[in-house]
């Protein structure tokens, strides 16, 4: 059975008309005779949407009971039995009620698609999983219901439902989205023009990326190589030299001038040994381009201009940024250079920018790795000068009646031999010497035009000519070898120095180290393989690169053993033996980094176990003492009341019952703190942020302290704060109870509040013994109690729970000295203007 097709209406914000557009599409399909049903559509009481449901067949929902309430969810089984051609499923990111067939609605949709049913659905941009943090930073509301981006990206068709912020706010004001009692709050918070504009831009950019994926796929399927300038993409060609940073910054400025511009830095390495760039400089440039929002790419190619153009056309680039050549004027004899070649071959659809920099015409210096190896162009020129040069010289001398003499003719031929040696090395020079000696014998040594020599002096002269030519070629070739060795040693020392520095600083992660190996040696992929023993299969501990990692070291192009049960495997080409010395150092370091990562993980696990043991020990102590004390009081009071030997008066019974109630309250408080600490330790505290006034929360937090023990000063004109009301009440209650416990008799604790910029501070001031500076942070740790508590006791969790709750709401809780003696707890919260409240009517969930 063929898989069904998914069509998604993507909205920039609630209320833009996704559901309306989906229902309109359903009516069009029904009119064309398509079997279309409504599997689930939420109209949210909007009359226009509700009208659109008329005339469409609706599948009944499945009712589920959860925590005493009845919820209606999509009945997947009923839809599958009905087997329509098209099913409408609203709110793709919805979380189903526990007990449903699937946890998420998008999983229900996957079942329908697998059954061959086409699905039309809706989702808002803020529900995409990758954009959760971005949306929260814009709106202040964390979306708990999300859908994986890949689910939406796999859709066969995505249609953006867009609306200007002004039009959406007018629709809101007319009551077309929320009821009248929610309109004002929505317009002043979530639906502010700035929020809507930012969400709209997010939606447009996300859809533009999706369109770009379609475009790349289409170009690949149809073999289109020319550039379609639908979007500015700027490719920066890097050589690994110091000018790369200038080029990257210049390209970033060019991309910033137009919306949606993209920067891609590419380094192209040859496939003949260690790369010519400094690994340290490449690492710096990689970090720079990523910090500026671009991407870094590493490509293998012997023809650098062709590889650069192929890469640029492959990514549909519109511009290439290159630096002016660092070569000196005389070095242009070997070719026009990369910049000129790229500009000539780029064609009319790809602009090339040559950027000047401080290293122009200063020379390349000694290349880092391939330094003195003679390039292909030089060898070709060497053979040309060594073979064609003597023939042209002979033609010139025989047609010009110069009569220079045999000695001068030999010097001219020797000049060509030396030039061939300088350009092409030993073999072109030897060929030039042999060919030149034959031409001298035939054309210039008597008897002319014969292969014999009559004068013995001429024999000596030609022999000397050949000897000198061979000697010069040998010297030039030896110099080239020595220069190459020096360049390799320089490359190795720089690489090893960079590696040693990163080891000492502890900077290298295993992935970045393997990426450095891949770039340094110009390989396609690098993997670190290991096994437990000699007969166990190999497993990949880490790997980087485009090619699939090998399963065994012997399957790789290069493998370097590290100990008995570990190996570094490289794929792409066979490395020369001289490269293995440096590669062995990288392999050893990779093993060290892997061991360090595992030791760090084990240390963190051990630390967590130790912390757990400490908390369990403290909990046992709390249970054995702090919890047993009120239990003992309760048991004694109950035993006394049940005693048949004593007849208690009404006053005595009331006193005993009061003691039971006080002990139960104390137990409830202790157990509540223990449960709160458990929630904080497991990370299940999920604040539900709302805008509230402090005078609604702080007085309620004082219910657990004796009357007259607190002076309250909370002005009514303070800004509202964006907090979770329940969590804030618990935090303030714990702080105030702790302050009252340590405050002197008949000295009330002062609780005051004030505004400071975009923050609101609550200060709890006591006149107790205070806390030394070195202990101010320790009192916020679990099961920590400073000094003796003269009235009551606890397990030492109150301040730890209070700080955890406050920090979960984006605030802070710190301890300061009270002027004149005592301790002041400063609770700092965000004012509502800095973080808008959630909109009524928008669902938000909290962790259990």
């Amino acid at each position: 059975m063929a898989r069904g097709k998914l069509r998604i209406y993507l909205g920039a914000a609630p209320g833009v008309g996704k559901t309306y557009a989906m229902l309109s599409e359903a009516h069009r399909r029904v009119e064309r005779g398509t079997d279309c049903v409504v599997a689930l559509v939420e109209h949210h009481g909007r009359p226009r949407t509700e009208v659109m449901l008329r005339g469409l067949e609706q599948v009944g929902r499945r009712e589920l009971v959860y925590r005493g309430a009845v919820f209606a969810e999509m009945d997947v089984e009923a839809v599958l039995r009905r087997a329509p051609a098209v099913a409408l499923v609203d709110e793709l990111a919805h979380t189903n009620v526990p007990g449903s067939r699937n946890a998420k609605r998008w999983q229900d949709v996957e079942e329908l698609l697998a059954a061959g049913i086409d699905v039309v659905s809706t989702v808002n941009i803020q529900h995409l999983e990758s954009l959760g943090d971005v949306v929260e930073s814009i709106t202040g509301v964390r979306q708990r219901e999300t859908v994986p981006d890949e689910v939406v990206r796999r859709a066969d068709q995505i249609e953006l439902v867009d609306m200007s912020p002004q039009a959406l706010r007018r629709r809101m004001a007319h009551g077309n989205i929320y009821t009248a009692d929610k309109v004002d709050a929505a317009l002043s918070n979530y639906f502010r023009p700035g929020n809507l504009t930012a969400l709209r831009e997010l939606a447009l950019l996300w859809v533009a990326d999706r369109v770009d994926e379609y475009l790349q796929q289409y170009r690949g399927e149809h073999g289109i190589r020319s550039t379609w300038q639908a979007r500015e993409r700027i490719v920066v060609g890097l050589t690994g030299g110091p000018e790369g940073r200038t080029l990257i910054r210049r390209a970033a400025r060019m991309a910033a001038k137009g919306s949606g511009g993209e920067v891609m830095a590419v380094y192209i390495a040859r496939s003949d040994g260690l790369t010519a760039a400094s690994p340290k400089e490449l690492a710096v440039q990689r970090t720079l381009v990523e910090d500026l929002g671009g991407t870094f790419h590493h490509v293998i190619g012997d023809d650098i201009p062709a590889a650069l153009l192929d890469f640029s056309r492959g990514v549909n680039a519109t511009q290439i940024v290159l630096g002016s050549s660092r070569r000196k004027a005389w070095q242009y004899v070997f070719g026009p250079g990369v910049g000129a070649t790229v500009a000539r071959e780029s064609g009319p659809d790809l602009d090339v920018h040559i950027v000047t920099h401080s290293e122009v015409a200063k020379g390349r210096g000694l290349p880092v790795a391939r330094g003195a190896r003679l390039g292909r162009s030089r060898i070709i020129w060497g053979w040309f000068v060594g073979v064609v040069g003597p023939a042209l010289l002979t033609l010139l001398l025989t047609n010009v009646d110069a009569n220079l003499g045999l000695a001068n003719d030999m010097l001219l031929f020797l000049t060509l031999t030396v030039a061939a040696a300088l350009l092409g090395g030993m073999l072109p020079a030897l060929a030039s010497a042999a060919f030149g000696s034959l031409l001298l014998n035939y054309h210039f040594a008597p008897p002319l035009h014969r292969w014999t020599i009559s004068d013995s002096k001429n024999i000596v002269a030609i022999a000397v000519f050949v000897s000198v030519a061979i000697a010069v070629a040998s010297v030039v070739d030896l110099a080239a070898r020595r220069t190459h060795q020096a360049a390799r040693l320089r490359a190795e020392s720089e690489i090893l120095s960079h590696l040693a520095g990163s080891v000492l600083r502890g900077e290298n992660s295993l992935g970045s180290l393997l990426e450095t190996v891949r770039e340094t040696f110009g390989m396609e992929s690098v993997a670190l393989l290991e096994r437990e023993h000699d007969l166990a299969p190999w497993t990949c501990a880490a790997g980087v690169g485009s090619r699939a990692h090998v399963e065994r070291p012997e399957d790789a192009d290069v493998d370097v053993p590290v100990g008995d049960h570990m190996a570094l495997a490289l794929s792409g080409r066979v490395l020369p033996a001289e490269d293995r010395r440096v590669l062995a150092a990288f392999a050893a370091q990779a093993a060290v980094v892997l061991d360090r990562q595992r030791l760090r993980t084990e240390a963190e696990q051990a630390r967590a176990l130790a912390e757990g043991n400490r908390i369990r020990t403290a909990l046992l102590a709390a249970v054995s003492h702090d919890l047993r004390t009120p239990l003992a009081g309760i048991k004694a009071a109950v035993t006394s009341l049940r005693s048949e030997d004593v007849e208690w008066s009404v006053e005595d019974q009331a006193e005993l019952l009061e003691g039971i109630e006080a002990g139960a309250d104390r137990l409830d408080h202790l157990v509540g703190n223990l449960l709160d600490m458990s929630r904080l330790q497991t990370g299940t505290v999920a604040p539900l942020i709302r805008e509230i006034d402090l005078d609604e929360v702080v007085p309620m937090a004082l219910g657990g302290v004796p009357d007259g023990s607190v002076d309250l000063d909370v002005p009514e004109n303070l800004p509202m704060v964006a907090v979770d009301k329940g969590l804030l009440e618990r935090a303030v209650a714990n702080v105030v109870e702790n302050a009252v416990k340590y405050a002197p008799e008949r000295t009330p604790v002062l609780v005051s509040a004030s505004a400071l910029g975009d923050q609101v501070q609550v200060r709890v001031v006591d006149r107790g013994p205070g806390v030394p500076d070195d202990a101010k942070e320790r009192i916020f740790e679990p099961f920590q109690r400073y000094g003796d508590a003269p009235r009551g006791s606890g397990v030492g969790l109150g301040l730890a729970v209070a700080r955890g709750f406050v920090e979960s709401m984006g605030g802070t809780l710190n301890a300061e000295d009270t002027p004149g003696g005592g301790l002041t707890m400063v609770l700092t919260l965000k004012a509502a203007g800095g973080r808008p409240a959630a909109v009524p009517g928008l669902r938000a969930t909290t962790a259990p």
Side-chain angles (χ1 to χ4, degrees):
M1 179 182 297
R3 178 180 172 86
K5 294 185 178 181
L6 176 62
R7 178 173 182 170
I8 292 179
Y9 287 92
L10 177 68
V16 294
K18 306 178 305 299
T19 305
Y20 191 93
M22 178 179 67
L23 293 173
S24 299
E25 174 65 19
H27 280 286
R28 287 192 293 271
R29 296 196 182 199
V30 170
E31 291 173 0
R32 294 195 300 265
T34 304
D35 182 15
C36 181
V37 302
V38 176
L40 188 142
V41 168
E42 300 283 0
H43 57 76
H44 298 292
R46 298 166 187 169
R48 295 178 181 272
T49 306
E50 193 171 0
V51 168
M52 292 296 294
L53 284 169
R54 299 174 185 174
L56 296 176
E57 179 186 347
Q58 299 187 44
V59 178
R61 301 190 187 186
R62 179 187 179 192
E63 292 187 348
L64 297 169
V65 179
Y66 179 66
R67 292 185 177 178
V70 179
F71 297 88
E73 296 287 1
M74 181 173 68
D75 193 339
V76 180
E77 295 180 1
V79 178
L80 291 174
R81 288 195 302 270
R82 172 63 177 78
V86 180
L88 307 185
V89 182
D90 205 5
E91 298 184 2
L92 187 64
H94 171 74
T95 300
N96 293 328
V97 174
S100 301
R101 184 185 183 102
N102 296 299
K104 302 287 289 186
R105 186 165 292 167
W106 65 263
Q107 295 172 326
D108 296 338
V109 169
E110 287 293 322
E111 282 199 47
L112 299 181
L113 294 173
I117 301 174
D118 292 347
V119 176
V120 183
S121 188
T122 65
V123 70
N124 281 331
I125 191 66
Q126 66 263 28
H127 292 296
L128 293 181
E129 197 169 77
S130 65
L131 300 178
D133 294 338
V134 180
V135 172
E136 182 181 16
S137 66
I138 294 171
T139 65
V141 178
R142 179 67 178 184
Q143 299 295 334
R144 302 296 175 184
E145 293 188 331
T146 60
V147 58
D149 289 45
E150 185 58 29
V151 173
V152 183
R153 288 183 180 276
R154 287 201 305 265
D156 299 277
Q157 186 174 350
I158 299 175
E159 184 171 333
L160 178 65
V161 183
D162 189 24
M163 179 177 289
S164 69
Q166 294 77 13
L168 183 56
R169 285 172 59 84
R170 283 197 301 270
R171 177 181 287 185
M172 172 72 71
H174 293 160
N176 294 332
I177 301 177
Y178 294 132
T179 56
D181 59 326
K182 299 178 181 179
V183 169
D184 291 339
L187 289 176
S188 60
N189 293 291
Y190 193 92
F191 284 82
R192 292 184 296 180
N195 289 358
L196 297 178
T197 302
L199 291 174
R200 187 186 190 195
E201 183 179 12
L202 273 180
L204 291 170
L205 290 176
W206 195 91
V207 173
D209 288 337
R210 178 61 174 157
V211 172
D212 189 63
E213 291 178 9
Y214 282 132
L215 179 61
Q216 294 292 348
Q217 180 181 355
Y218 179 85
R219 285 165 51 84
E221 291 175 353
H222 292 79
I224 300 173
R225 302 291 296 165
S226 61
T227 300
W228 288 2
Q229 299 186 3
R231 181 179 181 182
E232 289 294 335
R233 278 194 178 86
I234 303 174
V235 171
V236 184
L238 301 179
T239 65
E243 76 281 358
R245 305 181 202 181
T246 302
L247 303 184
I248 293 171
R249 293 189 180 98
R250 175 60 176 159
R253 291 196 297 271
M254 293 168 59
K257 292 180 180 179
S259 179
E262 185 179 354
V263 176
M264 290 175 284
V266 57
Y267 171 70
I268 300 175
R270 298 183 187 273
S271 59
D272 56 350
L274 293 174
T275 59
S278 164
K280 181 178 180 180
E281 182 63 29
L282 274 182
V284 171
Q285 294 175 14
R286 173 193 289 271
T287 302
L288 176 61
V289 71
E290 291 175 351
D291 289 343
L292 293 175
T295 55
F296 185 92
H297 304 268
H298 185 269
V299 177
I300 306 297
D302 290 323
D303 190 339
I304 293 179
L308 181 59
L309 289 171
D310 288 342
F311 174 84
S312 301
R313 293 191 176 104
V315 299
N316 200 28
T318 57
Q319 303 180 59
I320 298 178
V321 175
L322 299 173
S324 296
S325 179
R326 286 181 285 142
R327 295 190 298 178
K328 294 183 179 297
W330 63 268
Q331 291 177 308
Y332 282 97
V333 70
F334 303 117
V338 173
T341 304
V342 170
R344 185 180 66 247
E345 302 293 337
S346 61
D349 54 353
L350 195 55
D351 297 334
V352 179
H353 302 267
I354 305 296
V355 179
T356 59
H357 49 84
S358 58
E359 302 295 322
V360 173
K362 289 187 177 180
R364 293 182 177 176
L366 282 176
V368 175
R370 293 184 304 275
R373 286 188 180 177
L374 301 176
R376 182 182 303 173
S377 61
R378 286 190 58 176
I379 293 176
I380 293 174
W381 275 105
W383 281 101
F384 180 83
V385 172
V387 176
V388 179
L392 295 176
L393 180 60
T394 301
L395 183 63
L396 177 64
L397 294 177
T398 53
N399 291 323
V400 177
D401 189 14
N403 196 19
L404 299 177
L406 183 59
N408 291 327
D409 293 337
M410 287 184 177
L411 290 176
L412 292 174
F413 277 91
L414 183 60
T415 301
L416 292 177
T417 302
V418 172
L422 292 173
L423 289 173
M426 174 72 80
L427 292 179
L430 292 178
S432 178
F435 188 43
S437 62
L438 293 176
L439 292 177
L440 284 171
N441 178 23
Y442 189 81
H443 290 283
F444 302 102
L448 300 178
H449 307 299
R450 298 182 65 181
W451 295 108
T452 58
I453 302 175
S454 59
D455 191 347
S456 58
K457 295 179 181 180
N458 293 337
I459 297 176
V460 174
I462 291 177
V464 170
F465 165 76
V466 174
S467 302
V468 170
I470 293 174
V472 170
S474 301
V475 170
V476 171
D477 185 69
L478 181 61
R481 292 178 182 275
R482 292 291 184 265
T483 306
H484 171 60
Q485 292 174 359
R488 284 200 58 82
L489 292 175
R490 176 184 171 185
E492 292 179 6
S493 63
E494 184 174 351
I495 293 171
L496 293 175
S497 174
H498 176 64
L499 179 62
S502 64
V503 171
L504 294 176
R505 294 187 299 269
E507 294 177 350
N508 269 355
S509 65
L510 186 56
S512 62
L513 179 64
L514 296 182
E515 184 64 29
T516 301
V517 174
R518 190 181 74 86
E519 293 178 357
T520 300
F521 294 92
M523 306 299 287
E524 294 183 8
S525 65
V526 179
L528 184 62
L529 306 178
E530 62 175 349
R531 59 182 177 181
E532 295 181 359
H533 51 81
D534 292 340
L535 300 180
W538 291 93
T539 59
C540 181
V544 296
S546 56
R547 255 176 65 174
H549 306 306
V550 296
E551 297 181 355
R552 300 181 303 169
E554 50 266 30
D555 296 335
D557 295 315
V558 180
D559 68 285
V560 179
V562 186
D564 295 331
H565 303 129
M566 190 175 294
L568 189 66
L570 295 86
S571 301
R573 61 188 177 83
V574 178
L575 288 179
E578 54 191 2
D579 286 349
R580 285 182 171 268
R581 181 170 58 240
V582 179
L583 187 58
F586 275 106
Q589 175 60 12
V592 171
V593 171
L594 180 61
D595 290 340
R596 185 188 301 145
Q597 287 182 355
R598 289 175 174 172
L599 289 174
R600 187 182 299 113
T601 302
E602 292 175 0
E604 292 175 355
Q605 294 174 349
R607 191 180 302 110
L609 290 174
E611 179 67 15
N613 288 333
R614 187 183 70 81
I615 292 178
R616 280 192 290 271
T617 302
L619 181 59
L620 288 174
V623 171
S624 63
H625 180 269
D626 296 300
L627 297 181
R628 289 186 62 185
T629 300
L631 279 174
I634 293 172
K635 181 175 177 56
V638 172
T639 303
S640 299
L641 287 173
R642 296 187 60 187
S643 175
E644 299 178 355
D645 300 336
V646 181
E647 185 173 347
W648 302 98
S649 65
V650 175
E651 292 79 7
D652 292 337
Q653 290 180 358
E655 184 178 352
L656 289 172
L657 290 173
E658 184 180 356
I660 293 173
E661 184 179 12
D665 289 341
R666 186 175 167 190
L667 275 177
D668 180 69
H669 180 72
L670 293 174
V671 172
N673 276 337
L674 287 171
L675 294 176
D676 289 338
M677 196 67 234
S678 174
R679 292 172 62 200
L680 289 170
Q681 293 284 343
T682 55
T684 57
V685 176
L688 186 60
I689 304 299
R690 291 288 187 272
E691 286 186 2
I692 61 172
D693 289 315
L694 279 179
D695 56 7
E696 298 178 7
V697 179
V698 176
M700 298 179 62
L702 307 182
V705 297
D707 294 338
S709 60
V710 175
D711 288 341
L712 188 60
D713 181 17
V714 180
E716 295 183 357
N717 59 351
L718 285 176
M720 300 179 74
V721 291
V723 296
D724 184 302
K725 182 178 179 181
L727 296 184
L728 179 60
E729 182 181 334
R730 293 292 302 276
V732 174
N734 282 359
V735 173
V736 173
E737 289 174 8
N738 184 78
V740 170
K741 182 170 59 177
Y742 287 95
E745 293 284 354
R746 293 183 296 279
T747 303
V749 172
L750 174 62
V751 179
S752 63
S754 60
L756 183 63
D758 60 348
Q759 297 177 334
V760 176
Q761 288 188 342
V762 178
R763 306 178 76 87
V764 180
V765 184
D766 69 63
R767 294 292 179 178
V771 176
D773 291 339
D774 58 353
K776 282 187 172 64
E777 284 299 314
R778 291 202 305 272
I779 62 176
F780 292 103
E781 296 178 2
F783 303 104
Q784 296 293 321
R785 288 180 290 183
Y786 181 75
D788 296 326
R791 292 187 300 279
S793 60
V795 294
L797 287 176
L799 293 181
V801 170
R803 172 174 273 191
F805 282 172
V806 172
E807 290 180 348
S808 71
M809 296 182 290
T812 59
L813 177 61
N814 297 299
E816 298 178 357
D817 291 327
T818 301
L823 189 68
T824 298
M825 291 290 179
V826 182
L827 195 156
T828 304
L829 303 170
K830 293 181 180 179
R835 181 170 184 170
V839 179
L842 295 181
R843 282 196 300 266
T845 59
T846 58

